[in-house]
């Protein structure tokens, strides 16, 4: 889980996280300045806290931590003194920074986990749908080469990211399918006999589980065809 979350963070541009955090904190600053003008109070940390949590809930951990830092700077510059400018940080500002950071961490982490869970659920549904398609295309195959070809095409249509190939086992001493391209491989067995090899590009755990299920179903279909 942690590795996938890290990969997701790296895939998002840093400038976008900074830009969104800056825009939301700028809006919060305007609200705080309006409250200060009307009520004469600079104790508007709840507004910045809300903005940090909003960024965390919509963008994730990195954006919310950036927003927490920007909110602290904004509060210091616009609201800490009588005139605009950076002031020496007070105990209240340190308290705000800690509060913003804690809120950013929890809301951002929760959002990241929820998104990862949602993506996992979508992948599982896709895997189930791919297996159903495999069953359909396997029903009226006349021979094993046709079966392997149809299943490969079906999986390619349902899960193109796998870059899967399903072939007869290599000759003795030859390289296994996928060995030269860095793909993973998995044998299809009928009893003690290896009847085919699945090669695919490794990905999420749900896809690895799919490979094992696919190998089992292909082996069952080949065993059925040979028994006829």
């Amino acid at each position: 889980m942690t590795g996938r979350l890290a990969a997701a963070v790296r895939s998002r541009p840093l400038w976008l996280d900074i830009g969104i955090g800056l825009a939301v904190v700028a809006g919060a600053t305007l609200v705080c300045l309006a409250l200060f003008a009307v009520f004469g109070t600079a104790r508007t940390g709840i507004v910045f806290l809300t903005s940090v949590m909003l960024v965390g809930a919509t963008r994730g951990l990195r954006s919310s931590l950036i927003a927490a830092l920007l909110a602290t700077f904004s509060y210091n510059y616009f609201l800490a003194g009588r005139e605009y400018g950076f002031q020496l940080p007070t105990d209240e500002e340190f308290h705000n920074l800690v509060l913003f950071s804690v809120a950013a961490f929890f809301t951002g982490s929760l959002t990241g986990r929820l998104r990862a869970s949602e993506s996992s659920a979508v992948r599982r549904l896709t895997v189930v749908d791919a297996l159903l398609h495999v069953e359909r295309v396997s029903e009226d195959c006349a021979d094993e080469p046709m079966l392997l070809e149809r299943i490969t095409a079906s999986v390619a249509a349902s899960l193109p990211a796998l870059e899967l190939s399903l072939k007869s086992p290599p000759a003795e001493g030859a390289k296994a399918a996928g060995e030269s391209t860095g793909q993973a491989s998995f044998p299809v067995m009928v009893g003690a006999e290896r009847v085919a090899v699945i090669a695919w590009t490794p990905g999420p755990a749900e896809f690895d589980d799919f490979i094992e299920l696919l190998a089992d179903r292909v082996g069952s279909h080949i065993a059925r065809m040979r028994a006829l």
Side-chain angles (χ1 to χ4, degrees):
M1 177 73 73
T2 303
R4 291 199 293 271
L5 286 175
V9 168
R10 289 193 297 269
S11 67
R12 295 208 316 262
L14 178 61
W15 66 264
L16 184 59
D17 286 333
I18 295 176
I20 291 176
L22 186 61
V24 174
V25 171
T29 302
L30 292 176
V31 171
C32 290
L33 290 175
L35 292 175
F36 179 76
V38 173
F39 299 105
T41 177
R43 301 180 66 86
T44 53
I46 187 64
V47 177
F48 286 111
L49 178 62
T50 302
S51 69
V52 170
M53 295 180 69
L54 177 63
V55 173
T58 55
R59 294 295 301 172
L61 180 59
R62 186 170 69 178
S63 292
S64 61
L65 290 176
I66 292 173
L69 187 62
L70 292 174
T72 303
F73 287 153
S74 180
Y75 181 87
N76 182 280
Y77 187 90
F78 291 103
L79 297 167
R82 292 173 178 261
E83 298 180 356
Y84 295 157
F86 288 110
Q87 316 291 325
L88 290 175
T90 63
D91 291 342
E92 181 181 358
E93 289 178 58
F94 281 120
H95 175 269
N96 285 339
L97 177 59
V98 172
L99 182 62
F100 296 162
S101 298
V102 170
F105 178 79
F106 280 105
T107 56
S109 297
L110 179 60
T111 299
R113 290 181 179 276
L114 289 174
R115 287 180 176 174
S117 297
E118 181 182 2
S119 298
S120 178
V122 170
R123 287 193 295 268
R124 289 183 183 276
L125 288 175
T126 304
V127 163
V128 171
D129 183 65
L131 287 172
L132 291 175
H133 279 290
V134 167
E135 293 299 316
R136 295 192 189 101
V137 301
S138 303
E139 290 177 353
D140 57 348
C141 291
D143 51 42
E144 293 179 25
M146 178 185 292
L147 175 71
L148 300 182
E149 181 180 352
R150 285 191 177 184
I151 291 178
T152 298
S154 176
V155 175
S158 302
L159 299 171
L162 281 180
E163 299 181 0
L164 180 142
S165 65
L166 181 59
K167 299 179 180 179
S168 299
E172 188 70 24
K175 289 185 177 181
E179 183 178 332
S180 61
T181 62
Q183 289 184 308
S185 61
F186 195 88
V188 177
M189 308 295 293
V190 174
E193 180 187 358
R194 185 171 63 162
V195 295
V197 175
I198 302 174
W200 81 101
T201 301
E206 294 84 2
F207 291 165
D208 293 340
D209 295 339
F210 167 76
I211 296 299
E212 295 187 21
L213 292 172
L214 178 64
D216 178 73
R217 297 311 305 148
V218 174
S220 297
H221 285 300
I222 291 178
R224 176 181 54 82
M225 294 174 64
R226 291 182 176 183
L228 295 178

